[in-house]
Amino acid sequence: MGARRRGRAAGPRADCRRSRARSANGARCARTAVGRLRLGRVPAPRRRRAVPPSARPRRRAGAGADVIARLVLNGRPREVEVRPNQTLLELLRDTLGIFDVKEGCDEGVCGVCTVLLDGRPVSSCLVLAAGLRGRAVVTLRGLERNGGLHPLQEAFVRHGAVQCGFCTPGMLLTTLAFLEREPRPDREAIRAALEGNLCRCTGYTKIVDAVEAYVRGELGHD
Ligand code: FES
Ligand code: FES
């Protein structure tokens, strides 16, 4: 009997059993794995699913009671109860339903969440709502002129500077704040001003074209 068992243990499987016995981490027998590959039994690749920002888990509410955030939103005074660690982006989108402010990286890199805070462009994902203390916040809606588009928006449309449109609100607000400081910029200055706003569609050329057209007053605005 003993001789028969030893005989059956010979060959690749026996090698495998021996290596398993020695292996502390239980790694699979290399010879068996090679055999499977030759037979075409390659393990199925792991599937990855993209997780949209809205489905990502929210940051946990911090300890402490809710507080009142005071702001002037697109010209209208607001008082809203917020968590102490709630960002301005979360306040605008999740609490107030202002979806013209977009959510991207959530960490101050992409610029799609840009709003004007007292006239200056900021990433709203990096601003705590509780610290606003009555400051003026302008989103894309605040650019509306008598129910119509702002001339800079019209320039973007006319010059094909909008594709998916995800970056557009941040681009427009950043541009307008920049033109307040520098009304007659050249192309390089426009590019430099928009470097914190990422666009995955347009390649930026048409955006700069649109801003130049607006600066030239091509749409008959002041
Ligand atoms: S979402 Fe705020 S910078 Fe990207
Ligand atoms: S138009 Fe799509 S990200 Fe800019």
Side-chain angles (χ1 to χ4, degrees), residues 19-29:
S19 65
R20 267 192 202 146
R22 278 186 232 116
S23 167
N25 61 8
R28 274 200 298 164
C29 173

Side-chain angles (χ1 to χ4, degrees), residues 39-215:
L39 289 171
R41 295 171 65 185
V42 180
R46 280 193 198 159
R47 289 171 193 270
R48 287 188 183 182
R49 276 191 305 127
V51 181
S54 56
R56 289 180 207 151
R58 286 273 163 211
R59 292 184 199 113
R60 291 215 176 135
D66 286 355
V67 294
I68 300 294
R70 293 185 177 79
L71 66 158
V72 179
L73 179 58
N74 294 328
R76 186 174 156 210
R78 304 290 297 256
E79 290 192 359
V80 190
E81 211 168 81
V82 295
R83 302 187 309 274
N85 65 346
Q86 190 167 343
T87 65
L88 175 56
L89 176 62
E90 291 168 334
L91 166 64
L92 293 170
R93 287 182 60 91
D94 302 346
T95 307
L96 300 176
I98 310 282
F99 295 116
D100 53 271
V101 184
K102 303 301 178 194
E103 181 178 7
C105 65
D106 221 8
E107 52 190 29
V109 174
C110 69
V112 300
C113 67
T114 300
V115 299
L116 300 184
L117 187 60
D118 288 343
R120 299 174 70 91
V122 297
S123 295
S124 59
C125 65
L126 299 182
V127 175
L128 281 178
L132 288 170
R133 299 194 185 92
R135 297 173 78 183
V137 175
V138 174
T139 70
L140 187 70
R141 284 183 199 186
L143 303 185
E144 201 177 279
R145 295 260 181 105
N146 302 320
L149 295 180
H150 187 283
L152 182 59
Q153 286 175 293
E154 288 182 16
F156 268 54
V157 172
R158 187 176 292 189
H159 286 270
V162 181
Q163 288 187 23
C164 79
F166 195 64
C167 70
T168 309
M171 287 283 182
L172 291 164
L173 291 165
T174 302
T175 301
L176 287 172
F178 165 62
L179 295 178
E180 279 289 313
R181 299 193 314 273
E182 197 170 330
R184 297 277 161 208
D186 59 18
R187 280 187 84 82
E188 277 316 299
I190 295 168
R191 281 187 177 276
L194 294 176
E195 67 187 7
N197 292 76
L198 305 185
C199 175
R200 61 192 170 186
C201 307
T202 63
Y204 302 98
T205 299
K206 290 181 181 298
I207 291 174
V208 179
D209 290 347
V211 176
E212 277 194 316
Y214 175 79
V215 168

